[in-house]
Amino acid sequence: MKKIAFFDAHSYDMVSFNTWNESFGFDIHYYKERLTLDTVELAKGKDAVCVFVNDELTSDVINKLVENGVKLIALRCAGFNNVDLKAARDKIRVVRVPAYSPHAVAEYAVTLMLSLNRKIYRSTQRTREGNFRLSGLLGFDMFGKTAGIIGMGRIAKELIKILHGFGMNVLAYDKYPDVKFAEENGVKMVELPELYENSDIISLHCPLTLETKHMIDRDAIEMMKPGVMIINTGRGKLIRTEDLVEGLRSRKVGSAGLDVYEEEAKFFYEDHSDRMINDDSLALLLMMPNVIITSHQAFFTEEALKNIANTTLQNIKDCFEGKELVNEVKQE
């Protein structure tokens, strides 16, 4: 029976994985700690580790995993920017879950758009206090507005279909565009400057790479429409936080919906309600009435958790049965 060290484990992970593991039969050891150089010894004697977005798969951690006999890193997420693939090359294999529910993330991106536009959070707070005035709650029709989608993978394609249902115009940028999909769905493929200049709402759906890190910075914001709405359900480091804060202060950015944050590993998935937020930028964003920040939960649906558990366990099974790893990631 293969042993798996499961890091950053939460109750919902255990329920989902235990249910699906009944048909796989792995010996799963759950740890609430994230995988770091300080906790890597917990993987000693295990055949595989199962990790999430904020676990630290640095070169040192990977070398320690290899020393401890671990043969596989199984990501239960799509992104792999937290893994040093160069260090893993020829030492340990890495697999991921490329698509657990594109509908979940696309629908959540729209949830952020609508909540910001129609001031749902502010309105709910007011009415709970008995204030039923409408001043300060003015929104705009989504119909006829232009959405700029950066990245056109599976999630973005589902989002585009939803936005067309609102009657929105859609611009998109992708380094390797799906021209057929764009033509069939009325999407105009453009370069980033044109997308920035003409979009009322900009939504980020590209992977985090050296090229895309801090792609939304002061220069990019300067090119955008006054009052633009920025949505990020991708990766926090796509946005340079200090430049976003400045854009909000100057009102160049009208609103922002962030399900991810540049330094989220320090805070997300944990309860910090009994202490001060030791991050000035995050604390400031949390106070802004035109900003919504949620804790990297866009993926969090019943369907997604089922797909994550099933695909992750199948990846592990295929590895140890010597089968082709269709979801393997390697250094390019």
Side-chain angles (χ1 to χ4, degrees):
M1 185 182 295
K2 297 299 181 183
K3 295 181 178 181
I4 303 170
F6 194 112
F7 287 90
D8 199 11
H10 296 269
S11 58
Y12 48 83
D13 293 313
M14 298 179 195
V15 170
S16 181
F17 272 80
N18 285 341
T19 299
W20 282 98
N21 192 44
E22 291 178 5
S23 59
F24 285 90
F26 291 118
D27 182 9
I28 303 179
H29 297 249
Y30 294 102
Y31 303 107
K32 66 179 181 179
E33 295 83 3
R34 292 173 179 168
L35 177 58
T36 66
L37 194 56
D38 294 328
T39 62
V40 68
E41 285 300 316
L42 293 171
K44 195 168 186 177
K46 309 300 191 300
D47 300 287
V49 293
C50 183
V51 297
F52 200 48
V53 293
N54 290 323
D55 290 295
E56 299 173 11
L57 282 303
T58 62
S59 176
D60 290 339
V61 170
I62 287 171
N63 288 335
K64 200 67 179 177
L65 288 174
V66 174
E67 287 178 21
N68 289 339
V70 177
K71 301 293 191 299
L72 180 70
I73 297 169
L75 293 155
R76 57 184 190 277
C77 53
F80 48 88
N81 56 279
N82 57 328
V83 182
D84 188 333
L85 293 179
K86 183 178 179 181
R89 187 175 181 179
D90 300 326
K91 294 180 183 177
I92 189 169
R93 304 184 80 173
V94 182
V95 291
R96 65 172 182 144
V97 182
Y100 30 86
S101 177
H103 300 282
V105 182
E107 291 167 7
Y108 196 83
V110 176
T111 300
L112 291 175
M113 292 177 193
L114 293 173
S115 298
L116 284 167
N117 177 23
R118 302 309 299 271
K119 317 295 192 296
I120 299 300
Y121 182 67
R122 295 176 67 187
S123 176
T124 301
Q125 285 184 312
R126 283 188 187 185
T127 54
R128 283 181 174 176
E129 296 173 354
N131 181 356
F132 297 92
R133 296 184 64 190
L134 298 183
S135 58
L137 303 179
L138 187 66
F140 57 82
D141 287 356
M142 302 277 279
F143 180 85
K145 298 300 188 296
T146 298
I149 311 300
I150 300 178
M152 206 167 72
R154 299 179 190 182
I155 293 169
K157 288 176 178 176
E158 294 303 324
L159 175 60
I160 287 167
K161 295 174 187 176
I162 296 171
L163 297 181
H164 271 312
F166 284 105
M168 297 189 73
N169 305 309
V170 179
L171 306 177
Y173 167 81
D174 194 287
K175 189 174 181 179
Y176 306 102
D178 186 337
V179 177
K180 181 179 179 183
F181 176 88
E183 291 176 348
E184 292 175 348
N185 290 272
V187 178
K188 182 181 179 182
M189 302 302 303
V190 296
E191 295 300 316
L192 284 174
E194 184 175 349
L195 184 145
Y196 292 148
E197 292 169 9
N198 294 284
S199 299
D200 300 291
I201 301 173
I202 294 174
S203 193
L204 307 179
H205 300 279
C206 53
L208 178 62
T209 64
L210 290 175
E211 187 177 358
T212 62
K213 182 179 179 180
H214 292 162
M215 65 182 304
I216 303 300
D217 59 7
R218 181 173 299 176
D219 292 337
I221 291 171
E222 188 60 34
M223 286 186 271
M224 296 177 188
K225 275 187 174 185
V228 65
M229 179 190 294
I230 298 176
I231 303 293
N232 190 5
T233 55
R235 287 291 181 264
K237 291 184 186 297
L238 295 174
I239 298 177
R240 186 187 292 277
T241 304
E242 60 191 57
D243 293 349
L244 175 63
V245 169
E246 184 56 38
L248 288 160
R249 277 176 167 161
S250 68
R251 301 184 185 276
K252 179 72 172 185
V253 178
S255 57
L258 311 174
D259 186 50
V260 289
Y261 175 65
E262 192 168 3
E263 301 297 332
E264 68 178 59
K266 301 175 184 177
F267 305 101
F268 283 17
Y269 303 126
E270 304 296 338
D271 184 358
H272 294 268
S273 60
D274 60 346
R275 69 203 80 166
M276 290 183 63
I277 297 295
N278 189 25
D279 182 313
D280 291 344
S281 294
L282 178 58
L284 183 58
L285 287 168
L286 288 169
M287 290 191 300
M288 290 183 173
N290 53 344
V291 175
I292 294 177
I293 298 179
T294 54
S295 188
H296 207 144
Q297 69 182 69
F299 77 97
F300 199 52
T301 64
E302 293 178 6
E303 293 81 0
L305 289 183
K306 291 176 183 177
N307 291 336
I308 288 170
N310 186 47
T311 302
T312 300
L313 294 173
Q314 187 63 52
N315 285 339
I316 297 171
K317 183 174 185 287
D318 289 346
C319 176
F320 291 110
E321 289 185 353
K323 296 180 180 178
E324 178 187 3
L325 296 185
V326 294
N327 297 319
E328 185 171 15
V329 286
K330 299 178 180 180
Q331 182 191 27
E332 293 183 358

